[in-house]
Amino acid sequence: MELGKVKNLLCFFYEFNSGSIFTILNIKPNKVTFIIERDKGFQEDYDNVKSYLIKRIKDVTIDSVMLGEPIYEELEGILKEFSPKDTVISLSSGSRLVALLAYKLSLDYGYKAVYGDVEREGMFILSGRGPVVFKRAEEELRIKDIIASSGGK
């Protein structure tokens, strides 16, 4: 299974985001939407990561949406704003609970999900309709990417 051209990539913003940055660099979507858990205090880090990615990647739009309680229903509402045909969900960052719920919703609604594995230098493409595919990364993380992934400059 190939991803093809990805219009929307949904990523979860958390304390460490190297997996998301790795995935963004390798998928090169038109738009990235970071889903940020409300009241986690990540706004300054998000602003730094957004600024970095805009400089690092040409022709990408980056925005965010807040995820409140109850998590499952809120996440489901966010996903319904995007089409499964041109949207991929990254499970590379975020809390374990949110990643598990996102994976379940991706199966229920037909979204492709990916996990960017920085250590193995590739991405797992997940689908309920077929085998898990491992794709070698075209682009590796640099030191600046890793520093930026946690909101550093």
Side-chain angles (χ1 to χ4, degrees):
M1 170 183 30
E2 285 293 319
L3 292 175
K5 180 61 181 157
V6 175
K7 182 177 176 184
N8 300 299
L9 178 64
L10 304 180
C11 296
F12 297 97
F13 196 89
Y14 208 61
E15 191 172 358
F16 300 103
N17 298 286
S18 58
S20 286
I21 290 177
F22 179 78
T23 302
I24 293 164
L25 292 174
N26 281 283
I27 290 180
K28 297 175 180 63
N30 294 344
K31 180 180 179 183
V32 176
T33 299
F34 279 104
I35 300 171
I36 305 171
E37 289 182 67
R38 194 179 317 274
D39 302 324
K40 294 289 184 186
F42 293 133
Q43 189 61 49
E44 183 178 341
D45 291 344
Y46 165 74
D47 292 339
N48 292 337
V49 168
K50 178 181 177 180
S51 295
Y52 178 77
L53 285 171
I54 288 172
K55 291 176 193 168
R56 176 89 160 80
I57 306 168
K58 291 182 168 75
D59 302 321
V60 67
T61 303
I62 298 174
D63 68 2
S64 67
V65 63
M66 299 304 279
L67 178 64
E69 299 281 342
I71 293 174
Y72 185 83
E73 288 82 2
E74 286 264 326
L75 186 55
E76 185 176 35
I78 292 168
L79 293 183
K80 286 182 176 180
E81 295 178 24
F82 297 89
S83 168
K85 288 185 227 170
D86 59 13
T87 302
V88 173
I89 302 170
S90 171
L91 306 173
S92 307
S93 296
S95 71
R96 289 183 183 134
L97 173 61
V98 171
L100 286 170
L101 295 175
Y103 183 61
K104 172 161 181 1
L105 287 166
S106 74
L107 295 175
D108 291 348
Y109 290 98
Y111 292 89
K112 291 178 185 171
V114 297
Y115 178 80
D117 192 327
V118 177
E119 290 178 20
R120 290 183 180 87
E121 298 179 354
M123 291 189 312
F124 289 94
I125 304 170
L126 312 167
S127 169
R129 295 177 190 73
V132 172
V133 175
F134 181 76
K135 181 181 179 227
R136 276 265 165 240
E138 295 175 14
E139 196 160 336
E140 296 178 10
L141 285 183
R142 302 178 311 200
I143 294 296
K144 288 181 182 181
D145 298 322
I146 294 169
I147 292 169
S149 74
S150 62
K153 293 183 179 183

